[in-house]
Amino acid sequence: LRAMCRITRKHAWEHDITTQELGHRLSLETIELYVARRQARWLGQVARMDFDCLPRKMLSLWVRSRRPVGCPNMRYARNIGKSLSMLGIARDGWAE
């Protein structure tokens, strides 16, 4: 963002200019919102697929075993759920 506004790091530090301020000046949205939109778009494409397609199978499958020790708690399904809630889409009705 600084390069788009022609602001150097030194200038940003001296004048206490934050990335959020620059984003507001350029009327840009956060990267999280862009990612959430892309995930929702992909999820919509997968929802329209037949159940025989591999992406639909992988998204609809449920693993009953516990996660091994040391594995990250943030699974892809949780990440998708977070993105849907950020966009105001109900988690229960995403496939409709």
Side-chain angles (χ1 to χ4, degrees), residues 68-88:
V69 176
C71 286
N73 288 332
M74 181 58 90
R75 297 183 299 264
Y76 190 71
R78 280 191 188 171
N79 200 354
I80 289 289
K82 199 167 96 173
S83 296
L84 290 176
S85 65
M86 182 187 299
L87 295 172

Side-chain angles (χ1 to χ4, degrees), residues 16-80:
D16 198 30
I17 300 172
T18 63
T19 304
Q20 288 81 15
E21 279 183 47
L22 291 176
H24 184 68
R25 281 188 203 174
L26 296 173
S27 64
L28 294 176
E29 296 166 339
T30 62
I31 190 71
E32 289 87 9
L33 189 57
Y34 283 112
V35 170
R37 283 186 187 148
R38 293 297 299 255
Q39 286 179 338
R41 185 178 300 144
W42 180 80
L43 192 61
Q45 290 176 355
V46 171
R48 290 187 295 273
M49 290 180 183
D50 292 334
F51 280 100
D52 298 337
C53 295
L54 188 61
R56 180 65 188 243
K57 283 182 184 179
M58 294 301 287
L59 195 63
S60 302
L61 107 101
W62 183 262
V63 179
R64 295 187 188 274
S65 63
R66 294 182 53 99
R67 296 177 72 77
V69 176
C71 286
N73 288 332
M74 181 58 90
R75 297 183 299 264
Y76 190 71
R78 280 191 188 171
N79 200 354
I80 289 289

